[in-house]
């Protein structure tokens, strides 16, 4: 992927990437959104009034720094979840607590896509309302950086990044339970230790781990549920082996070759018994380390929020190919991988964010242009 760096008025501009196939599809599909809105007006929410979430490298360095400053601000404010999670020390930790508590319900289930949409939007609101952030949640277009993520604007360790790689650690890689060889282990990319550069070099991870991790030296949590106080550094292993499954062709095929939400979500999350990780897993394991490599605690790495904004973007692009039908389409059961066995979820099921936000019907989380009783009004650029 080609990019250049421009300068204007003495301020560094964002790198400019050539549009990939997914970018082009999204832009071309806006005419479908316009037609749908003409037939289905959403109150004050229009294409003109909708918030536009942008890709990380399309922001200026100053805009990126404003975002990371807001994340650091959220990490400095007292937690609301301490009664159930004594390890929670900040408002940032509150979001990790909710994810840990709701992981068995909101992954591999009906709620995976709509719940994470609600989750990312609420986090965006916290940054804006509690920390004075005036922008919106950026996303991570995986394909832009897949060939060299360590040297990307996202992870190069500069002040305009989301922080750098971890220091070298002696570990073999990340095991993938249930996957056949050779797909059952993501080889180490040479990191795995503490992040020492960028805005989060001094960050403390307070909660977890919960899932088994292969990196040595990470202390166990004092509680079985992972919610005890366990301060440690942020660790990463920025891994191009994992990023290899997030190139634009994988995302484009995901959107265009899966005509129902069951297969769209199944392929996105990964089919581990067949050795297929999916872009969801590929993005998480591109970051790796602790807590990003922990299925439950992964929101504890600030990069999580850009990854899941991209998950939401890809779902949004898939939805707008047939918006009339796909904003009403859910699938799967109410439990992760149907364990324990449960009934199929419906649009009238409730989904919420614990102490952070009330339960709402899933149908309120399906439409980015007028959903959540009109509070959702955004698209992706």
């Amino acid at each position: 992927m080609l990019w250049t760096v421009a300068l204007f008025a003495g301020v560094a501009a964002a790198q400019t990437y050539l549009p990939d196939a997914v970018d082009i599809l999204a832009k071309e599909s806006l005419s479908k959104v316009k037609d749908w809105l003409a037939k289905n007006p959403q109150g004050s929410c229009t294409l003109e009034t909708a918030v536009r979430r942008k890709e990380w490298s399309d922001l200026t360095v100053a805009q990126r720094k404003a975002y990371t400053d807001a994340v650091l601000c959220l990490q400095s404010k007292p937690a609301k979840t301490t009664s159930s999670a004594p390890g929670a020390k900040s408002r940032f930790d509150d979001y990790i607590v909710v994810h840990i508590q709701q992981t068995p319900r909101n992954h591999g289930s009906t709620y995976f896509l709509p719940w994470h949409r609600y989750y990312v939007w609420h986090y965006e609101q916290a940054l804006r309302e509690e920390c004075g952030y005036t922008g919106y949640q950026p996303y991570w277009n995986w394909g832009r950086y897949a060939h060299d993520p360590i040297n990307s604007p996202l992870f190069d360790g500069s002040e305009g990044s989301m922080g750098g790689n971890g220091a070298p650690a002696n570990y073999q890689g990340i095991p993938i339970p249930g996957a056949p060889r050779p797909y059952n282990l993501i080889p180490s990319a040479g990191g795995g230790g503490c992040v020492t550069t960028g805005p989060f070099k001094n960050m403390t991870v307070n909660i977890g781990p919960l899932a088994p991790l292969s990196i040595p030296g990470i202390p166990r949590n004092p509680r079985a549920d992972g919610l005890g106080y366990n301060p440690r550094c942020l660790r990463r292993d920025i891994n191009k082996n994992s990023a290899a499954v997030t190139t634009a062709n994988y995302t484009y095929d995901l959107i265009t070759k899966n005509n129902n939400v069951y297969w769209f979500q199944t392929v996105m999350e990964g089919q581990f018994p067949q050795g297929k990780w999916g872009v969801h897993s590929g993005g998480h394991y591109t970051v790796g380390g602790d807590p990003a490599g922990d299925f439950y605690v992964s929101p504890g790495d600030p990069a999580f929020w850009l990854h899941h904004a991209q998950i939401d973007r890809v779902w949004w692009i898939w939805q707008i190919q047939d918006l009339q039908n796909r904003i009403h389409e859910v699938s799967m059961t109410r439990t992760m991988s149907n364990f324990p066995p449960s009934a199929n979820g419906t649009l009238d099921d409730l989904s919420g964010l614990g102490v952070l936000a009330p339960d709402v019907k899933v149908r309120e989380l399906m439409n980015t242009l007028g959903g959540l009783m009109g509070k959702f009004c955004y698209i992706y650029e």
Side-chain angles (χ1 to χ4, degrees):
M1 197 70 69
L2 299 176
W3 55 270
T4 59
V5 177
L7 294 176
F8 62 92
V11 179
Q15 291 89 337
T16 301
Y17 286 79
L18 297 176
D20 62 30
V22 179
D23 298 330
I24 294 168
L25 177 62
K27 185 174 182 179
E28 291 177 345
S29 300
L30 284 177
S31 61
K32 298 179 181 180
V33 180
K34 185 176 181 180
D35 291 343
W36 182 83
L37 283 170
K39 298 174 183 176
N40 303 273
Q42 301 294 303
S44 62
C45 185
T46 67
L47 278 179
E48 290 70 36
T49 61
V51 165
R52 282 162 163 73
R53 290 181 176 173
K54 298 177 181 289
E55 209 282 332
W56 183 252
S57 62
D58 292 338
L59 302 176
T60 66
V61 170
Q63 289 170 329
R64 296 180 215 164
K65 191 172 184 305
Y67 177 79
T68 55
D69 284 348
V71 175
L72 291 168
C73 163
L74 207 63
Q75 292 177 353
S76 72
K77 292 185 175 293
K80 295 181 178 180
T81 55
T82 51
S83 61
S84 63
K89 302 301 178 184
S90 71
R91 289 285 290 114
F92 182 83
D93 289 344
D94 287 339
Y95 287 89
I96 310 169
V97 171
V98 169
H99 193 270
I100 291 173
Q101 292 172 332
Q102 298 199 23
T103 282
R105 185 180 189 270
N106 295 320
H107 296 79
S109 72
T110 303
Y111 315 116
F112 172 70
L113 293 165
W115 183 86
H116 280 89
R117 175 170 284 174
Y118 193 12
Y119 188 53
V120 173
W121 175 85
H122 196 275
Y123 179 79
E124 176 186 66
Q125 300 310 300
L127 295 177
R128 288 174 54 80
E129 295 171 5
E130 300 177 42
C131 288
Y133 178 54
T134 58
Y136 297 94
Q137 177 60 48
Y139 65 91
W140 161 17
N141 182 344
W142 311 302
R144 289 191 177 187
Y145 320 129
H147 296 294
D148 190 15
I150 290 178
N151 294 307
S152 72
L154 201 59
F155 297 118
D156 66 8
S158 66
E159 70 169 0
S161 73
M162 287 296 293
N165 195 19
N170 183 24
Y171 86 111
Q172 292 186 334
I174 303 169
I176 306 297
R181 294 183 179 180
Y183 307 106
N184 63 333
L185 183 74
I186 301 172
S188 166
C194 298
V195 171
T196 60
T197 56
F200 302 111
K201 63 184 178 182
N202 296 318
M203 178 180 156
T204 299
V205 179
N206 295 317
I207 303 171
L210 189 55
L213 293 172
S214 58
I215 301 174
I218 299 174
R220 295 180 59 132
N221 195 276
R223 287 175 44 137
D225 62 5
L227 297 176
Y229 184 47
N230 190 26
R232 59 202 187 278
C233 69
L234 174 68
R235 294 173 178 243
R236 287 176 178 162
D237 184 23
I238 306 300
N239 198 314
K240 66 180 181 181
N241 300 303
S242 303
V245 301
T246 66
T247 51
N249 59 298
Y250 284 99
T251 306
Y252 184 82
D253 287 352
L254 170 66
I255 294 167
T256 60
K257 293 185 177 181
N258 296 285
N259 293 322
N260 63 66
V261 76
Y262 172 83
W263 280 110
F264 173 77
Q265 183 177 328
T266 297
V267 173
M268 171 183 271
E269 288 199 80
Q271 300 164 277
F272 297 116
Q274 290 80 44
K276 298 176 181 179
W277 298 346
V279 293
H280 174 246
S281 301
H284 278 297
Y285 291 128
T286 294
V287 184
D290 171 44
D294 186 319
F295 183 56
Y296 295 85
V297 196
S298 54
D301 189 308
F304 169 98
W305 300 94
L306 283 80
H307 172 51
H308 264 276
Q310 168 76 346
I311 291 289
D312 186 60
R313 173 184 181 244
V314 172
W315 182 33
W316 173 75
I317 298 170
W318 181 84
Q319 285 184 304
I320 64 177
Q321 304 313 301
D322 182 9
L323 199 53
Q324 188 67 38
N325 293 305
R326 291 182 178 180
I327 60 167
H328 305 295
E329 190 176 347
V330 295
S331 185
M332 299 190 178
T333 66
R334 294 181 170 120
T335 49
M336 183 166 58
S337 302
N338 197 32
F339 183 81
S342 60
N344 289 337
T346 74
L347 290 171
D348 289 321
D349 289 354
L350 295 177
S351 189
L353 302 176
V355 301
L356 300 181
D359 289 351
V360 297
K361 289 185 177 181
V362 169
R363 70 174 66 254
E364 287 294 335
L365 307 175
M366 300 295 290
N367 178 15
T368 72
L369 293 166
L372 196 61
M373 293 72 74
K375 295 178 182 177
F376 284 174
C377 187
Y378 68 89
I379 63 172
Y380 288 92
E381 283 192 343

